[in-house]
Amino acid sequence: MQRVVSRAQYFRQLIRGEYFAPAKLTAFRAPLVRSFSTSTMSQPHGGAAKPAAPLTAVVTSDKDPRAEFINGPEYANYFCEYAKLYHQKQMLEDKPRMDAYYAAIMKNKECFKGKVVLDMGSGTGILAMWAAKAGASKVYAVEATPMARKARMLVEANGLSDIVEVIEAKIEEVELSGQVDIIVSEWMGYALLREAMLDSVIWARDKWLRPGGSLFPSHACIGWGALLYDGDQQNQVAGYENTLAEWTTFKKGLKEEYGISMDVLDKAYRTEHREYYLENAHYSNLRSSDVIGSNDETVEYDLLTVSIDELSKIRSKFSFEIEAGSANFVALGCWFKTMFRGSPQNPCSQEVVLDTSPLFPETHWGQQVLPLMRPVSVWRGDVVECETFIDRQKDNQRMLVLHFQLKVVPGPTKQDLEGNDRRVIELGHHKYNVL
């Protein structure tokens, strides 16, 4: 099976000038107050419908947020991708993603009937429109990019503009007239937390979600597993060695032709290319047969209570058993799942799970593959004890750094194929960037 960088990841790297071949780099005023209002009927909890004050949303900023935002570095480094239909289409083509959100909303219509809903990072407005179809009395579809204009067209074309109000703004710029009952958002990134969009969901939760309100999804887990596949690490090592050989040839030519020595930059060049070739996690769509043991719930978050501080540095210790008869354990894999349970006051009658592990159908998130420093021979029943640390990159808080160390404790098979006694194998610190 071919495993390649996803199209979305390629364009992300191309935009940031990070997608390069060995030794080559290829790059690719006045205050605004916008007010929206609509008359509606609100359905109080446990009471009859009564006339409500107009629901309004106001975008506020001391300066023109559109001009400054769209021309600024944050838009170029992150948001601009979501303004492209090709990327929205990629997400809409992700059937497990679409099926999970559709089922979570449409099979739990009782949670949405008469409620005020905030769809955060709305994109084309699909989730907002489903919430309206499920019976919501009002839906705010907040989208930071100009994709909001296309979402507004879709809402009008589908006859839902009397319920769904599309707002082109970052959530931090929006002022609502009151709190909402439900926040629905598709915020997940690679390894669950890449892109840090959950920070904005938490910010919106703390400001706009009424007591007893719910989030869709409501919970999330990070999973890890032992893999037979290492993301074509051999080719990455070869690429690293080739670029170092090219550097040596380049230095020699520069010295002979122009009389300048570049030797003082050897360490910097090695560090730069080691990070690119050997310290970046590999995006992959793994097969179930690539996994020889896993723990799919190493850490679980209740999105009603988790804080941004809890997400900034995540440490977890866990273990799992090897399930294959005998195999070469060559990499750790990382994935996630989210659960739609509603809230204690407004629970879902049908819980829905979106699982991105290799044991379930492929999604656009794929999985992250982190090669071990050396392969380890394992047998069924061996126990992998692992400690992981998920941190944010210092120069870009939306990107992640995954650290781990592990040991393999022999199970029932006490001797290897040569008859030697098997001992505990410990592998020290590994570090990988998630771009």
Side-chain angles (χ1 to χ4, degrees):
M1 177 176 66
Q2 187 180 23
R3 297 171 171 88
V4 297
V5 172
S6 72
R7 187 181 181 202
Q9 189 175 8
Y10 168 79
F11 276 98
R12 247 190 314 272
Q13 292 173 295
L14 188 64
I15 289 167
R16 292 198 306 266
E18 294 175 352
Y19 202 87
F20 59 97
K24 294 180 182 178
L25 181 66
T26 305
F28 179 87
R29 293 155 247 323
L32 174 68
V33 178
R34 202 179 301 147
S35 115
F36 312 83
S37 71
T38 181
S39 295
T40 186
M41 298 287 287
S42 66
Q43 183 73 34
H45 296 296
K50 65 178 182 180
L55 290 168
T56 62
V58 179
V59 181
T60 61
S61 176
D62 293 337
K63 298 180 180 180
D64 181 346
R66 292 295 88 198
E68 288 207 355
F69 172 60
I70 291 176
N71 294 318
E74 186 181 24
Y75 187 85
N77 290 334
Y78 174 63
F79 285 98
C80 66
E81 180 183 326
Y82 292 95
K84 303 296 183 183
L85 274 174
Y86 87 83
H87 186 57
Q88 296 292 333
K89 176 175 175 287
Q90 182 188 40
M91 293 187 289
L92 297 175
E93 288 176 328
D94 184 336
K95 187 167 172 51
R97 170 189 182 270
M98 295 289 282
D99 287 351
Y101 275 89
Y102 184 78
I105 295 171
M106 302 307 289
K107 291 185 178 181
N108 292 288
K109 290 183 178 180
E110 71 281 0
C111 292
F112 287 83
K113 186 176 181 181
K115 299 297 195 298
V116 179
V117 178
L118 170 61
D119 175 12
M120 241 198 68
S122 189
T124 54
I126 297 295
L127 303 185
M129 288 188 279
W130 286 344
K133 286 177 176 288
S137 61
K138 176 69 179 181
V139 184
Y140 296 108
V142 178
E143 169 58 37
T145 77
M147 183 57 61
R149 302 163 201 178
K150 297 180 176 66
R152 191 173 293 115
M153 293 168 61
L154 288 172
V155 168
E156 292 174 356
N158 284 273
L160 295 168
S161 55
D162 59 330
I163 299 174
V164 179
E165 181 178 319
V166 180
I167 305 166
E168 184 181 337
K170 293 171 64 178
I171 186 63
E172 294 82 0
E173 299 168 350
V174 175
E175 285 292 332
L176 305 178
S177 64
Q179 293 181 307
V180 302
D181 302 296
I182 297 173
I183 296 176
V184 60
S185 181
E186 195 274 80
W187 50 265
M188 298 83 75
Y190 297 151
L192 184 67
L193 298 174
R194 183 192 176 278
E195 301 182 32
M197 186 178 168
L198 183 54
D199 290 10
S200 293
V201 174
I202 293 171
W203 185 92
R205 177 201 70 192
D206 292 345
K207 184 165 186 178
W208 297 119
L209 188 66
R210 73 174 76 251
S214 53
L215 291 99
F216 279 61
S218 60
H219 296 75
C221 294
I222 297 176
W224 296 84
L227 305 180
L228 296 173
Y229 172 73
D230 64 4
D232 295 326
Q233 182 70 353
Q234 185 175 353
N235 290 336
Q236 295 297 108
V237 172
Y240 175 63
E241 293 174 348
N242 287 341
T243 199
L244 294 186
E246 290 175 0
W247 172 251
T248 300
T249 302
F250 161 75
K251 287 193 306 173
K252 180 180 178 182
L254 198 70
K255 177 72 171 176
E256 292 176 352
E257 190 167 354
Y258 300 108
I260 299 296
S261 171
M262 299 285 285
D263 290 347
V264 70
L265 299 182
D266 281 354
K267 182 178 179 180
Y269 192 86
R270 285 196 304 270
T271 299
E272 179 182 299
H273 284 76
R274 178 178 179 81
E275 179 175 345
Y276 176 76
Y277 281 102
L278 305 181
E279 295 180 3
N280 286 332
H282 307 297
Y283 171 95
S284 185
N285 285 298
L286 297 167
R287 300 171 292 228
S288 59
S289 58
D290 291 322
V291 182
I292 54 176
S294 66
N295 184 330
D296 294 320
E297 298 181 357
T298 62
V299 60
E300 179 173 332
Y301 295 109
D302 181 344
L303 302 187
L304 274 176
T305 59
V306 68
S307 69
I308 293 175
D309 285 345
E310 288 179 74
L311 300 174
S312 62
K313 295 182 184 295
I314 301 168
R315 294 184 182 275
S316 60
K317 292 184 178 180
F318 55 91
S319 63
F320 54 84
E321 285 193 8
I322 297 297
E323 298 171 0
S326 63
N328 266 343
F329 173 20
V330 297
L332 269 185
C334 183
W335 45 81
F336 68 86
K337 65 180 177 180
T338 57
M339 291 76 80
F340 300 80
R341 297 171 181 163
S343 65
Q345 294 86 347
N346 190 24
C348 290
S349 58
Q350 295 193 45
E351 180 179 337
V352 175
V353 177
L354 170 58
D355 199 321
T356 69
S357 92
L359 306 182
F360 288 82
E362 179 181 315
T363 71
H364 78 281
W365 287 285
Q367 297 86 28
Q368 296 295 301
V369 175
L370 291 66
L372 303 185
M373 59 178 65
R374 60 185 176 88
V376 178
S377 296
V378 292
W379 276 261
R380 187 188 308 277
D382 287 356
V383 176
V384 178
E385 297 179 358
C386 195
E387 182 175 359
T388 62
F389 174 44
I390 302 177
D391 197 4
R392 302 193 186 194
Q393 293 187 13
K394 291 189 172 93
D395 58 348
N396 187 342
Q397 291 289 295
R398 292 190 181 275
M399 303 295 112
L400 300 178
V401 183
L402 306 184
H403 305 258
F404 70 87
Q405 57 188 24
L406 59 83
K407 63 181 177 181
V408 178
V409 180
T413 303
K414 302 300 182 184
Q415 293 185 324
D416 62 21
L417 295 177
E418 285 74 38
N420 301 313
D421 290 339
R422 300 180 61 224
R423 299 182 178 183
V424 173
I425 296 175
E426 297 192 28
L427 296 183
H429 178 254
H430 296 62
K431 183 191 84 168
Y432 289 95
N433 301 307
V434 179
L435 299 177

